[in-house]
Amino acid sequence: MRCDSFHHPPPTRLGTAETHFKLVGVLTAPMCISQLMLLQVFFLMVPEGVWLQPSSPSGAAPTPSDVGPASPGGTLQSSSEGSETPWPVPGISTAGPTVVTPSAPENGTVDLFPALPVCVCDLTPGTCDINCCCDRDCYLLHPRTVFSFCLPGSVRSSSWMCVDNSLIFRSNSPFPSRVFMDSGGAGDPILTYFPKWSVISLLRQPAGVGAGGLCAESNPAGFLESKSTTCARFFKNLTNSCTLDPALNAASYYNFTVLKVPRGMTDLQNTKFQVPVTLVSQAGSPLLSGNICQNVVSQVIYEIETNGTFGIQKVSVSFGQTNLTVEPDTSLQQHFLIRFRAFQQSTVASLTGPRSGNPGYIVGKPLLALTGDKSHSMTLLQSQGDGICSVKKHEVQFGVNAISGCKLRLKKVDCSHLQQEIYQTLHGKTSPEHVAIFGNADPAQKREWTRILSRNCNVSAMHCTSCCVIPVSLEIQVLWAYTGLQSNPQAHVSGARFLYQCQSIKDSQQVTEVALTTVVTFVDITQKPEPPRGQPRIDWKLPFDFFFPLKIAFSRGVDSQKGSASLILILCLLVLGVLKLETK
């Protein structure tokens, strides 16, 4: 696949009077010899206003500044925006697909995926977010060689056109081109080590092949490729296979260690490059009891945590087991699931928690609230299966309007305790005090949070002396807007408020439960700027009779031209002088 870069040249500036002066100078030099014949042809043959328009030579070769600044080592840099110095990779080098880079003219090169100053997908502080190619916590010099793809917004988009390489015989474009070789395979295999036998192998993920979906043991798991497979096994003699077949025994799926990085195989005695497989829950060994084969593995789930170029940091496994009846041609269907996620051990990540954007909020991410010094997600009511209010809560997702409700069973307490219990049910045990302005707000920086306005129930407005006023509904109103560049807008919260609706119950009423409702609405208050306007274009206009004296002079014949040659030349120089002053 060949990709060619297209760089549009800057708008042509208007020509200066000096250029026109040189043009007229060429025409006026022979004018003294031929008695203004060339000037007469010039004025009579060329339409008015054409000679005043600027012109640029066609086919001019681009200068190195048009292509982009050259960099040592063949590193491609963007011609439109400056690139940042890549951060160092601590002690590890990565290998990726083969890339053939033809030499560009004037050694000008263009970076396909330069680093970004603002990383919108860096949502976990101190941890490498998978497929976030601008996350500095990954310590990746070339993220494309490690990640299967880059998340939208994590790489700077470039103006490139990709076509099949077979369609291009020779490219005469002055701009650089690249040929990408498609690897056409899964992620890198994950190496395992069996200390008991001192054998290096691969982490396997059996997959179904053929029409019957028989298990293929040789299928390797791919690094950073979360995947689920299902396959079938058939047993002619389950009596023997029950205790002898390793595929049915849970111990065969964790009796090894996993190498953090491929270079760990150079020193297998060094355990710092190895990660043991942790068993999440106890799994029994297969046992044949009568005609029942017990504790047969039916599901295997691997959880693998990675940390950028530091490799695999943690591996855990859990099992699903079942019993099989010993009978001819017994079959078993097994499920294998491998999930990859970012390793979280940093104290920064544990204190601040995951981000909801960086910096602007991402639609669907939790709306962050602050109570005291603790950051948490704003919540809505959640009901159990019978409609009773649950202890668990729904998270408020940014940009998503929602409504939820449940029934709260009332206890026989006084009015003040009842009000307190309902308020806590609506907004949580502690009422949120602030809401994060951006998705990456730091709890320690108070300026990054805005106070939530709250309006509780007005007891005096109920005009009830022997009754209890309780809240039954909470409406969360959030005002938000886009800020920043139109090419990369960032969503931020401008303000939020809690509005409670209440009702009164008389003391004589025997109320056992009350229906509660929570509503969240997001209001976009973005003020879009006026559409951009282009640079003003100079339109040269002259009076329709500007050249009338010259035309009259030309119409008198050759004899009269001899006497007015000096006057005409003076008028031409005067006009050119005026034009030169206007263009400065």
Side-chain angles (χ1 to χ4, degrees):
M1 181 73 69
R2 181 186 294 272
C3 295
D4 293 305
S5 174
F6 293 90
H7 299 266
H8 303 285
T12 305
R13 297 177 61 89
L14 291 173
T16 61
E18 181 180 0
T19 305
H20 300 302
F21 181 81
K22 292 179 181 178
L23 175 63
V24 176
V26 173
L27 295 177
T28 55
M31 179 180 63
C32 299
I33 302 174
S34 59
Q35 298 182 357
L36 298 179
M37 292 303 296
L38 291 178
L39 185 61
Q40 179 180 359
V41 175
F42 179 78
F43 281 114
L44 296 181
M45 297 298 295
V46 180
E48 292 184 15
V50 174
W51 71 281
L52 295 174
Q53 297 297 331
S55 60
S56 60
S58 60
T63 62
S65 61
D66 295 330
V67 179
S71 59
T75 303
L76 300 179
Q77 298 181 352
S78 173
S79 62
S80 59
E81 299 182 8
S83 61
E84 299 180 357
T85 303
W87 51 91
V89 182
I92 254 185
S93 62
T94 57
T98 304
V99 179
V100 181
T101 308
S103 60
E106 301 292 338
N107 293 328
T109 53
V110 178
D111 190 1
L112 287 181
F113 314 108
L116 296 177
V118 177
C119 189
V120 296
C121 57
D122 182 11
L123 304 181
T124 311
T127 304
C128 175
D129 292 89
I130 295 179
N131 295 327
C132 184
C133 294
C134 58
D135 192 347
R136 295 182 180 271
D137 298 322
C138 298
Y139 299 101
L140 295 178
L141 184 62
H142 303 290
R144 286 273 181 167
T145 62
V146 178
F147 296 141
S148 57
F149 67 94
C150 290
L151 290 172
S154 64
V155 291
R156 183 176 290 126
S157 59
S158 303
S159 179
W160 286 78
M161 178 68 68
C162 296
V163 295
D164 191 87
N165 196 30
S166 61
L167 301 179
I168 297 182
F169 176 73
R170 186 180 68 177
S171 175
N172 60 355
S173 172
F175 304 109
S177 62
R178 269 193 169 190
V179 178
F180 292 92
M181 307 301 294
D182 187 8
S183 59
D188 291 338
I190 301 173
L191 300 179
T192 60
Y193 176 64
F194 292 83
K196 185 177 181 180
W197 299 283
S198 299
V199 174
I200 294 179
S201 183
L202 301 178
L203 182 63
R204 310 288 182 179
Q205 186 177 10
V209 295
L214 298 179
C215 291
E217 303 291 346
S218 60
N219 183 52
F223 181 69
L224 292 182
E225 290 187 347
S226 300
K227 179 182 304 186
S228 176
T229 58
T230 302
C231 61
R233 300 184 187 273
F234 294 88
F235 307 95
K236 293 183 178 180
N237 188 355
L238 184 59
T239 303
N240 295 333
S241 300
C242 179
T243 55
L244 298 179
D245 193 340
L248 305 181
N249 193 344
S252 62
Y253 295 96
Y254 63 89
N255 62 344
F256 51 83
T257 60
V258 177
L259 300 187
K260 293 183 177 180
V261 290
R263 74 168 183 171
M265 63 186 301
T266 59
D267 188 8
L268 296 175
Q269 303 303 321
N270 192 347
T271 57
K272 72 177 184 178
F273 293 117
Q274 302 176 20
V275 178
V277 181
T278 305
L279 187 62
V280 175
S281 58
Q282 294 297 325
S285 300
L287 175 65
L288 184 62
S289 177
N291 65 337
I292 300 297
C293 182
Q294 302 177 354
N295 301 331
V296 174
V297 174
S298 61
Q299 185 180 41
V300 181
I301 301 177
Y302 285 106
E303 293 277 355
I304 302 178
E305 299 184 16
T306 62
N307 188 14
T309 54
F310 293 102
I312 297 174
Q313 301 297 309
K314 184 179 179 181
V315 180
S316 60
V317 64
S318 59
F319 298 97
Q321 293 182 311
T322 186
N323 298 333
L324 294 178
T325 303
V326 177
E327 58 185 10
D329 298 328
T330 303
S331 63
L332 170 67
Q333 190 176 49
Q334 290 183 318
H335 304 276
F336 299 90
L337 176 62
I338 296 182
R339 287 195 293 252
F340 290 87
R341 59 188 180 93
F343 177 70
Q344 296 184 359
Q345 191 182 16
S346 172
T347 55
V348 177
S350 61
L351 292 176
T352 60
R355 301 185 180 109
S356 293
N358 190 25
Y361 273 101
I362 299 176
V363 176
K365 291 294 183 179
L367 181 65
L368 302 181
L370 185 68
T371 303
D373 295 331
K374 184 179 179 181
S375 174
H376 57 90
S377 302
M378 199 171 291
T379 59
L380 297 175
L381 292 174
Q382 182 175 348
S383 62
Q384 302 176 0
D386 55 357
I388 301 300
C389 294
S390 173
V391 179
K392 298 181 179 180
K393 297 292 187 69
H394 290 294
E395 286 186 341
V396 176
Q397 299 177 347
F398 179 81
V400 179
N401 297 335
I403 182 172
S404 63
C406 60
K407 293 182 179 180
L408 178 65
R409 291 178 178 173
L410 302 181
K411 301 177 182 179
K412 293 183 179 180
V413 293
D414 57 84
C415 181
S416 60
H417 286 83
L418 182 60
Q419 291 174 342
Q420 182 179 0
E421 180 184 2
I422 297 178
Y423 274 118
Q424 291 180 353
T425 304
L426 289 174
H427 56 60
K429 291 185 178 181
T430 55
S431 178
E433 302 171 354
H434 299 81
V435 63
I437 299 177
F438 286 97
N440 62 345
D442 185 358
Q445 302 295 330
K446 298 300 182 182
R447 65 178 182 273
E448 298 181 5
W449 304 78
T450 181
R451 179 171 294 277
I452 300 175
L453 304 178
S454 181
R455 189 180 68 184
N456 294 339
C457 298
N458 190 356
V459 179
S460 60
M462 293 296 179
H463 303 289
C464 183
T465 55
S466 61
C467 59
C468 182
V469 179
I470 58 174
V472 293
S473 176
L474 168 61
E475 181 180 1
I476 304 174
Q477 297 179 349
V478 181
L479 303 180
W480 70 278
Y482 281 117
T483 186
L485 300 176
Q486 285 186 305
S487 58
N488 187 24
Q490 302 295 317
H492 78 287
V493 173
S494 300
R497 67 176 179 176
F498 286 177
L499 298 178
Y500 294 93
Q501 294 183 359
C502 306
Q503 73 177 26
S504 60
I505 55 174
K506 295 184 178 180
D507 297 337
S508 59
Q509 292 179 340
Q510 300 295 329
V511 181
T512 58
E513 62 182 21
V514 60
L516 302 180
T517 306
T518 50
V519 182
V520 58
T521 55
F522 290 85
V523 182
D524 185 2
I525 59 172
T526 304
Q527 295 182 356
K528 297 183 179 180
E530 297 182 359
R533 299 177 180 177
Q535 294 294 331
R537 183 176 180 180
I538 300 178
D539 187 10
W540 299 99
K541 293 183 178 180
L542 297 174
F544 70 94
D545 58 348
F546 183 81
F547 296 102
F548 179 74
L550 302 179
K551 293 180 181 180
I552 294 298
F554 293 152
S555 64
R556 294 178 180 176
V558 178
D559 296 334
S560 61
Q561 292 175 4
K562 294 180 180 180
S564 59
S566 58
L567 178 61
I568 295 174
L569 180 59
I570 293 175
L571 290 175
C572 293
L573 295 178
L574 180 61
V575 171
L576 293 175
V578 173
L579 294 177
K580 184 176 182 179
L581 292 176
E582 290 184 358
T583 55
K584 286 186 178 180

